[in-house]
Amino acid sequence: MSSDDILLTVEDLSVVYEPDGADPTFAVENVSFELRRGEFVGLVGESGSGKSTLGFALTRLSKPPARISHGTILFDGTDIASIDAEHLREQRQGGFAMVLQSGMNALNPVRTIRNHFFDVFTAHGHVSRERREERARELIGKVELPAATLDRFPGELSGGMRQRVSIALALSLEPQLMVFDEPTTALDVLVQHAVMNTIRDLQASEGFTAVLISHDLGIVLEATERVLVMHEGVIVEDGPSSEILNAPTADYTRMLLSHYADPRAEVVSLPGFEDRAIRRQAGASRSAVASPEHAPTVVTRSISTAQESIVVEHVSKTYPPPRRGEQPVRAVRDVSFTLEPGQSLALVGQSGSGKSTIAKMITGVEKPSEGSIRFGGLDVAKLRRGQLRDLHRNVQMVFQDPYAALNPLHTVEYTLTRPVVNFTGLKGRDARQRVLELLETVGLAPVEQFAAKLPHELSGGQRQRVVIARALACDPQVIIADEPVSMLDVSLRAGVLALLEDLREKWGVSLLYITHDLLSARLITGNIMVLHDGAVVERGETAEVLQRPTDDYTVALLEAVPNPQRTRR
Amino acid sequence: MTYALRKVGLLILTLWAAITLNFFLPRLMPGSPTDAAIAKLSQNGPVTAATRKAIEIQLGVPDGNLLSQYGQYLKQVLTLDFGVSYTFYPQPVADLVGQALPYTLILVGFVTIVAFVLGTLLGVLAAWKRGTWLDALPTLGGSFASAFPYFWTALLLLFFLGYVFKIFPTSGAYGVTNVPGFSGAFIGSALNHAVLPAVTILITSLGGWILGMRNTMISTLGDDYVTFAEANGLKPHTVAIRYAARNAILPNLTSFGLALGGVVGGSVLVETVFGYPGIGYLLLKAVTNQDYPLMQALFLMITVSVLLANFIVDILYGVLDPRTRK
């Protein structure tokens, strides 16, 4: 290829983080690569791999404490790693643009969408005053939004619409290079799919060079023609997508790939789940074999096998209208199901489908508008304070965000001691013994060390294990897990999922698993209910439903699962 | 528009509630002004029922049941008839308040607005130039100055600028030889008298506004829409003013509303130290002399001004933040 084809040359680039009062760390180390004009390249890695830091460096948006410490970024012949601020600003028009991960917050809440466009036009003067309205309409049309969107404020748009607006704004710079930093991570599954399609279409029609940064190898392999895999600040693999998919050379890439599977397959297996898949296929015997990596040693546990069912009968939940003159919101419509003791049930659907509302009603946080929810002899909707305590002793939640679910000021031991003391009546040495047992159950060994740690010293997966241990502290019969792995890196997900399954199989805890991720539902649940707009559209055995879906919505959800193996384009 | 109408409705409702409370609360207190006067008189000998009646008439103690008194009171409030002051007998309360109010509004109100505007601008600058001397100077200086107790700063200024160097007068709102009115001499003298109290208020309140604005602005500077605006190559001053500062000022408006509402009631200390004949000075006199009609009128004024200030800020919020307009 001739040198004219090269748009960007990165040579020996290092980015260092220099926080006040802490040792500097290199987030990106001696990275070199080239981008050809019109290429669509994926940049993949898990959290902390340095992929976003690299993306910010490419567009010269690195802010303190991050600093480009070494290397050059030749963009169209100019080293943008070293040019001054005003020159850099001018370069952005017709140069390089960035779409941020949280497109929801990338727009100024007090300015209309039209003004956002006009700000860009004014800053660079590349669109004349007379033409700017026309140009704004044209751009907003390119991302498949109606022209009326221009009159809106960001707060009046949905997450997907806001991300489309950011893409249109980035496009208004007429850039040669566009960097998309996790453009769909904060969005709903189905919306994600649609926004990714828009990005792919735009890249094809506008012909800009694109870098797609993502933690999701599935999404990247589906969209791009070349992939860079990053691990601990270094590019460990660089090659065409098909080669990375079929013949990955780096161990790390292989590991990432191994965590993808098609939820529709006959046998679904992930690392740590191999024997389970076979067992489930063979008719699901109850003799549990824990995977070796976190096999709990023999622990004397007092946990009571679940005896009570959760019975949900004709439950509906209607919220008052969000604004005057609008229709009331029917979050849940006439849902009935029974969660038998020791059973596992998945509630799947995109956000707004009512799955979390159901969880809130079961835990007594919200009251159903119609219908009844019973746990054993308790009518959940009519509980008073003392009875709610009984309910919470038996029904515990595991939340989505392990980073927000733990008080950063308390040690793991303190966090776990509270529920132990409050619910089981154990004190002093016995309580501590129980805390250590809990840590062992969730596979956080050596337990003494983990007990003394603060949340920030733990990885996301370890934090989620602590959250699960906290839920177990009062010997619950039922665990309700609301998207427990969606915030975790793929390599950590399997471990947490396996733990949830172990708990059910070994201790007989019932599991209500709420997710949009069909693969994980397939792995750890026996039964499934698909929710759409608050109503159940399909239900049955998980394997059966996912392999032979009958409802269009279930099919759409399955189609939206990123899958590297699927034929591309 | 519906937003503004709703706020007006709410204002009327809260005003009514405040006026009503102002009527009933004093009546819930044990004792009455008449009892207090009779208690004093009875030290000198027995008091006859006729004397009691005479005192009641003199004080204007109303007849009839509570409800008709309440109706009477509402009518008086609407016609700004607050009765006669005990301390400055027989001057009507309305006249006293009317004389004092302009001084307080002009001095404290104006200075509060200046402090807010100046402090906010300095805060924006400090945050934008974070880590430079433009940040360090206002931030450190502001917090240093506002760390002094208010009266101490006042006394220092009085001592040096008023007593030692005799640049500014030490008390009052205008010179003894001036007659209030729209004459050049009077206005000049009034301004000269206002300098020391104004500077004192400015010095002690400026730091708070600087720090408040700087800190919220630093957090908005880290927001994604600022990063995105930079990624789109907007000019630095656009990013600083229209994106960062424009959003950062919103939470500070609430404190501004509180400060504005406190203008009428919170000026006691200033006006006492400087012998300034405003509302605060009047309130102090009313309280020390148990001047019930005056007190009641002043308390009502303070409540109403807090409500009005909050109303103004609510409306401003509606204009500045589309998210509140729902």
Side-chain angles (χ1 to χ4, degrees):
Chain A
M1 70 189 137
S2 79
S3 62
D4 285 355
D5 285 345
I6 305 293
L7 177 68
L8 186 83
T9 311
V10 175
E11 221 163 286
D12 245 0
L13 185 73
S14 296
V15 181
V16 66
Y17 274 84
E18 297 167 322
D20 283 341
D23 293 331
T25 45
F26 281 90
V28 175
E29 253 185 309
N30 303 323
V31 163
S32 303
F33 62 93
E34 286 179 339
L35 294 182
R36 272 178 285 122
R37 285 180 201 277
E39 212 177 9
F40 198 158
V41 178
L43 181 58
V44 177
E46 295 187 284
S47 52
S49 62
K51 59 185 191 306
S52 288
T53 311
L54 179 58
F56 273 75
L58 292 186
T59 46
R60 260 301 294 276
L61 286 169
S62 308
K63 277 186 192 174
R67 182 173 66 82
I68 298 177
S69 62
H70 185 256
T72 55
I73 306 168
L74 277 184
F75 178 85
D76 216 8
T78 322
D79 180 14
I80 57 169
S82 57
I83 58 177
D84 66 281
E86 183 55 22
H87 202 127
L88 175 73
R89 191 186 75 72
E90 284 163 8
Q91 278 270 309
R92 294 190 185 279
Q93 196 272 312
F96 35 89
M98 175 110 171
V99 174
L100 300 173
Q101 168 165 17
S102 38
M104 340 269 294
N105 309 322
L107 303 174
N108 186 345
V110 299
R111 280 181 95 62
T112 60
I113 304 302
R114 174 175 287 106
N115 279 334
H116 279 85
F117 280 102
F118 288 3
D119 284 344
V120 176
F121 299 153
T122 316
H124 299 289
H126 61 300
V127 176
S128 68
R129 241 171 196 291
E130 305 78 59
R131 276 213 63 240
R132 55 186 203 176
E133 174 70 26
E134 185 193 336
R135 180 71 180 139
R137 283 166 181 268
E138 195 182 321
L139 285 161
I140 207 82
K142 282 191 185 187
V143 291
E144 292 150 40
L145 290 176
T149 314
L150 292 173
D151 299 321
R152 304 258 173 274
F153 286 99
E156 299 169 333
L157 304 177
S158 72
M161 290 164 89
R162 273 182 264 177
Q163 190 61 292
R164 283 172 189 275
V165 170
S166 326
I167 293 171
L169 276 168
L171 213 54
S172 75
L173 293 166
E174 296 156 17
Q176 299 179 62
L177 170 69
M178 269 181 82
V179 178
F180 298 91
D181 185 12
E182 304 261 14
T184 60
T185 307
L187 304 176
D188 243 337
V189 242
L190 292 180
V191 183
Q192 258 183 18
H193 202 53
V195 171
M196 268 318 297
N197 282 339
T198 305
I199 292 178
R200 268 190 280 183
D201 293 347
L202 280 174
Q203 197 269 333
S205 62
E206 308 284 311
F208 52 78
T209 310
V211 175
L212 174 65
I213 301 175
S214 178
H215 68 281
D216 195 331
L217 191 55
I219 287 183
V220 167
L221 284 174
E222 264 185 34
T224 62
E225 50 211 38
R226 178 181 151 206
V227 175
L228 309 176
V229 181
M230 251 188 123
H231 183 50
E232 292 178 354
V234 178
I235 293 181
V236 292
E237 185 146 10
D238 176 359
S241 304
S242 51
E243 262 176 43
I244 296 231
L245 176 59
N246 297 318
T249 54
D251 290 343
Y252 183 71
T253 317
R254 265 187 234 123
M255 189 280 293
L256 284 180
L257 274 171
S258 71
H259 286 277
Y260 286 89
D262 188 344
R264 284 171 287 198
E266 278 297 312
V267 180
V268 178
S269 166
L270 289 191
F273 271 94
E274 291 88 354
D275 49 343
R276 289 157 214 269
I278 296 158
R279 225 176 337 111
R280 176 147 289 161
Q281 207 59 27
S285 81
R286 277 239 148 185
S287 60
V289 185
S291 64
E293 35 174 2
H294 45 71
T297 48
V298 184
V299 178
T300 46
R301 294 258 318 174
S302 53
I303 203 158
S304 47
T305 303
Q307 289 143 3
E308 314 281 3
S309 317
I310 288 181
V311 183
V312 175
E313 277 180 339
H314 301 293
V315 160
S316 296
K317 176 75 189 176
T318 309
Y319 290 104
R323 294 178 199 184
R324 242 163 256 230
E326 287 181 10
Q327 292 293 313
V329 180
R330 298 188 63 193
V332 176
R333 307 165 189 227
D334 193 23
V335 169
S336 304
F337 65 89
T338 304
L339 180 63
E340 306 277 2
Q343 204 197 25
S344 55
L345 173 67
L347 287 183
V348 300
Q350 64 188 126
S351 64
S353 62
K355 53 193 198 307
S356 292
T357 310
I358 292 176
K360 283 183 190 159
M361 290 192 286
I362 292 175
T363 50
V365 177
E366 298 268 3
K367 296 212 182 307
S369 315
E370 283 163 48
S372 73
I373 297 172
R374 288 198 314 276
F375 173 74
L378 301 171
D379 185 339
V380 174
K382 298 197 176 96
L383 294 182
R384 301 202 196 142
R385 266 193 106 68
Q387 293 168 309
L388 263 180
R389 193 181 147 90
D390 285 347
L391 177 73
H392 290 156
R393 191 197 167 113
N394 286 308
V395 180
Q396 278 283 319
M397 283 283 288
V398 173
F399 297 98
Q400 177 172 16
D401 186 354
Y403 297 90
L406 294 174
N407 186 331
L409 300 178
H410 292 315
T411 60
V412 169
E413 178 168 358
Y414 182 87
T415 301
L416 295 181
T417 305
R418 297 308 304 160
V420 166
V421 171
N422 287 341
F423 281 107
T424 64
L426 296 174
K427 287 196 182 71
R429 186 182 302 230
D430 291 342
R432 182 173 160 78
Q433 186 55 38
R434 178 87 174 102
V435 167
L436 298 182
E437 282 173 20
L438 285 168
L439 284 172
E440 198 146 359
T441 309
V442 297
L444 289 176
V447 288
E448 300 275 348
Q449 276 181 30
F450 275 105
K453 287 197 180 192
L454 287 165
H456 74 265
E457 298 172 291
L458 303 173
S459 74
Q462 290 169 337
R463 284 185 213 205
Q464 197 59 298
R465 283 168 192 269
V466 174
V467 174
I468 293 172
R470 181 173 61 185
L472 288 175
C474 51
D475 286 347
Q477 296 189 35
V478 181
I479 286 190
I480 300 177
D482 191 353
E483 303 269 16
V485 296
S486 67
M487 311 264 303
L488 304 181
D489 277 328
V490 272
S491 58
L492 298 172
R493 286 182 188 181
V496 172
L497 289 173
L499 170 63
L500 285 172
E501 165 139 86
D502 277 348
L503 292 172
R504 193 177 64 76
E505 298 214 326
K506 290 188 83 101
W507 312 117
V509 182
S510 323
L511 176 67
L512 184 64
Y513 180 64
I514 295 169
T515 190
H516 67 272
D517 175 18
L518 299 173
L519 176 60
S520 63
R522 173 77 198 271
L523 283 169
I524 65 164
T525 61
N527 289 294
I528 194 168
M529 285 196 344
V530 182
L531 286 164
H532 185 210
D533 285 341
V536 179
V537 294
E538 190 155 7
R539 64 166 84 204
E541 283 183 25
T542 309
E544 180 64 26
V545 168
L546 296 184
Q547 282 176 53
R548 283 170 281 278
T550 54
D551 189 83
D552 290 345
Y553 181 71
T554 317
V555 176
L557 280 178
L558 280 163
E559 287 295 323
V561 176
N563 183 1
Q565 268 82 18
R566 199 180 301 157
T567 337
R568 297 188 300 120
R569 302 218 180 172
Chain B
M1 210 50 238
T2 49
Y3 172 81
L5 284 179
R6 225 165 49 233
K7 288 291 168 197
V8 171
L10 203 65
L11 174 71
I12 292 171
L13 199 73
T14 38
L15 272 179
W16 169 76
I19 290 170
T20 306
L21 274 180
N22 201 43
F23 171 78
F24 282 106
L25 276 184
R27 278 159 182 78
L28 291 178
M29 291 194 299
S32 70
T34 320
D35 290 340
I38 289 174
K40 257 186 208 163
L41 280 181
S42 62
Q43 287 167 353
N44 306 332
V47 183
T48 61
T51 319
R52 185 182 184 90
K53 190 76 199 156
I55 293 174
E56 281 182 354
I57 290 167
Q58 191 183 17
L59 294 182
V61 173
D63 307 317
N65 63 10
L66 214 54
L67 206 66
S68 68
Q69 284 181 29
Y70 177 61
Q72 184 74 17
Y73 165 79
L74 279 186
K75 205 164 94 191
Q76 287 175 343
V77 167
L78 290 177
T79 53
L80 297 181
D81 172 12
F82 296 103
V84 175
S85 162
Y86 300 169
T87 322
F88 304 95
Y89 191 81
Q91 285 196 66
V93 167
D95 288 0
L96 289 169
V97 175
Q99 281 161 23
L101 195 59
Y103 290 107
T104 297
L105 279 188
I106 291 173
L107 175 71
V108 191
F110 179 71
V111 177
T112 303
I113 293 171
V114 168
F116 173 71
V117 172
L118 197 64
T120 301
L121 287 176
L122 286 174
V124 168
L125 200 66
W128 188 247
K129 303 279 178 193
R130 194 180 174 187
T132 66
W133 65 271
L134 277 171
D135 178 15
L137 194 72
T139 310
L140 286 177
S143 33
F144 182 72
S146 54
F148 288 125
Y150 177 84
F151 55 89
W152 196 70
T153 311
L155 290 177
L156 272 187
L157 286 176
L158 272 178
F159 180 73
F160 286 106
L161 298 181
Y163 181 73
V164 178
F165 298 108
K166 297 197 174 13
I167 303 172
F168 295 109
T170 53
S171 82
Y174 48 86
V176 272
T177 53
N178 297 103
V179 182
F182 275 101
S183 67
F186 170 72
I187 291 174
S189 163
L191 286 179
N192 199 27
H193 279 77
V195 170
L196 281 189
V199 168
T200 314
I201 300 175
L202 203 60
I203 287 179
T204 45
S205 62
L206 197 59
W209 296 121
I210 296 177
L211 284 181
M213 188 61 191
R214 175 185 176 272
N215 294 346
T216 39
M217 170 106 170
I218 280 176
S219 96
T220 52
L221 280 175
D223 279 347
D224 284 325
Y225 51 80
V226 173
T227 311
F228 191 52
E230 283 171 355
N232 288 338
L234 300 197
K235 296 204 170 124
H237 67 86
T238 317
V239 178
I241 304 298
R242 289 198 187 156
Y243 282 72
R246 179 68 172 67
N247 281 288
I249 202 168
L250 295 173
N252 287 343
L253 271 183
T254 311
S255 339
F256 181 55
L258 290 177
L260 267 191
V263 162
V264 174
S267 57
V268 179
L269 210 55
V270 204
E271 296 179 357
T272 312
V273 174
F274 289 98
Y276 203 80
I279 294 286
Y281 196 57
L282 202 60
L283 183 62
L284 186 75
K285 283 202 172 152
V287 171
T288 45
N289 294 316
Q290 295 192 328
D291 189 342
Y292 289 94
L294 191 54
M295 264 194 272
Q296 210 174 358
L298 287 174
F299 288 144
L300 188 65
M301 288 254 340
I302 292 169
T303 321
V304 169
S305 59
V306 170
L307 289 178
L308 277 178
N310 279 326
F311 170 74
I312 293 169
V313 167
D314 266 353
I315 294 292
L316 258 184
Y317 236 104
V319 174
L320 292 177
D321 190 347
R323 286 164 296 184
T324 54
R325 266 177 243 159
K326 281 178 189 156

